[in-house]
Amino acid sequence: MLIGVIRPVESKTATVQAEELDEIQDLLAAQTPEGWQLASAPVVMAKKDTVLTAEGTMVRRDGVREIEADDMTALVAKVPEGYQLLSVRRV
């Protein structure tokens, strides 16, 4: 018997503007839902401007659950659409 750990694969982006990096981080943190993490947030500054623009990419990290199957082929077949298999253990 194999037990696989799966979680949803979902991401979203948010664009924010501010004059300081700390403000950018705060604005992105406010838009990051519970159970999600900020994965990247590249910052750009337009020429002749003091406003910073960042596009934050947030990824879902909650919703972890286990599935069971007799073999690896069956286990992979049980992974629902929109989920990824994180680990497998034999019991």
Side-chain angles (χ1 to χ4, degrees):
M1 174 68 69
L2 297 176
I3 297 177
V5 177
I6 62 173
R7 78 165 171 225
V9 177
E10 192 175 345
S11 67
K12 68 180 197 170
T13 60
T15 302
V16 296
Q17 291 185 323
E19 296 211 2
E20 306 244 345
L21 285 174
D22 290 344
E23 289 178 81
I24 294 279
Q25 289 176 337
D26 292 342
L27 290 169
L28 288 171
Q31 293 190 34
T32 303
E34 189 173 324
W36 293 58
Q37 291 180 347
L38 186 62
S40 69
V43 177
V44 295
M45 179 186 285
K47 291 182 180 180
K48 300 181 182 179
D49 197 355
T50 61
V51 175
L52 302 170
T53 302
E55 182 174 68
T57 301
M58 294 143 236
V59 291
R60 188 170 177 187
R61 294 297 186 230
D62 65 351
V64 175
R65 62 184 182 143
E66 292 184 344
I67 56 174
E68 296 179 2
D70 291 328
D71 59 44
M72 192 63 180
T73 303
L75 189 68
V76 170
K78 283 187 165 185
V79 177
E81 182 73 28
Y83 278 74
Q84 74 181 121
L85 183 62
L86 299 175
S87 65
V88 178
R89 71 180 187 274
R90 185 175 305 275
V91 292

